Amino acid sequence: MLGRKVPSVTFRTRVRDESIGGPNPFRWQEVSSDDYFAGKRVVLFSLPGAFTPTCSTYQLPDFEKLHAEFQAEGIDEIYCISVNDAFVMNAWGKSQDLENVKLIPDGSGEFTRKMGMLVAKDNLGFGKRSWRYGAVVNNGVVEQWFEEEGYSDNCDSDPYGVSSPQNILESLKGIRKAA
Ligand code: BEZ
């Protein structure tokens, strides 16, 4: 994965647009991989699903809290991607009071499949979802890779450690000190 360019896909997001009026002032907005990744050094992390316990209790809120520390290590954005549609991702972001981490809806799983990270989670009734991983992506190219062990379909467990914000931050700090 190191040195590979992230896949070029179009994400279908929902954005607020007050000009629409009414009780649900949102419209579709297509956002490309280039829009998210070109000219920026970002942390991308991917998880099995919005609203799932580990992701909602630890991984996403901890990335949110540590945002300033990531910025201090030269990270422009933190993106959380999941194989969920834009409605679900927006509702999850709202429930988490997110201000810093940006959510990317990969509803069709195209990005995740092209990253080689799509797994079956039919054992949980989830269908196809993402294996947990994190990455530092510099101008669209994977600079560091943090994949949880045991990539597999219908995995009984849900390993979470190397893709934690604490681990990725430590790695970034180590690189800076070594430089
Ligand atoms: C969790 O984040 O705890 C979780 C993820 C996928 C399935 C079940 C739980």
Side-chain angles (χ1 to χ4, degrees):
M1 210 59 70
L2 288 176
R4 264 186 53 187
K5 199 165 190 324
V6 297
S8 286
V9 310
T10 301
F11 299 95
R12 271 80 192 181
T13 72
R14 299 279 301 171
V15 297
R16 199 171 178 97
D17 181 346
E18 298 303 340
S19 72
I20 293 168
N24 195 355
F26 286 83
R27 62 172 168 76
W28 291 105
Q29 182 158 299
E30 296 192 343
V31 185
S32 69
S33 294
D34 264 5
D35 293 328
Y36 283 123
F37 296 103
K40 293 174 211 159
R41 186 168 182 242
V42 307
V43 168
L44 172 71
F45 67 100
S46 189
L47 37 76
F51 292 102
T52 53
T54 304
C55 314
S56 295
T57 313
Y58 302 108
Q59 196 173 20
L60 180 56
D62 286 353
F63 268 111
E64 175 76 10
K65 281 183 219 139
L66 292 168
H67 180 252
E69 291 198 44
F70 278 100
Q71 280 185 316
E73 299 304 323
I75 295 299
D76 300 310
E77 299 283 0
I78 301 177
Y79 296 138
C80 169
I81 191 166
S82 179
V83 181
N84 289 113
D85 63 66
F87 295 96
V88 170
M89 292 299 265
N90 281 2
W92 192 32
K94 197 171 173 194
S95 76
Q96 293 269 330
D97 289 324
L98 282 189
E99 288 183 4
N100 301 314
V101 175
K102 295 190 175 146
L103 301 179
I104 304 181
D106 186 27
S108 69
E110 185 185 356
F111 183 92
T112 303
R113 177 174 59 79
K114 290 177 174 170
M115 285 291 279
M117 287 289 108
L118 199 65
V119 287
K121 288 206 167 281
D122 299 306
N123 57 329
L124 300 173
F126 279 21
K128 295 278 195 295
R129 294 295 177 100
S130 181
W131 189 250
R132 269 187 210 280
Y133 68 90
V136 175
V137 182
N138 196 351
N139 195 23
V141 175
V142 177
E143 180 192 302
Q144 293 183 56
W145 183 246
F146 304 89
E147 179 180 331
E148 298 296 343
E149 64 179 18
Y151 171 94
S152 53
D153 285 334
N154 299 313
C155 189
D156 285 338
S157 61
D158 178 26
Y160 174 59
V162 294
S163 67
S164 70
Q166 292 82 0
N167 188 55
I168 297 175
L169 192 55
E170 279 313 301
S171 171
L172 284 165
K173 285 180 179 172
I175 285 168
R176 179 167 53 82
K177 281 187 194 136

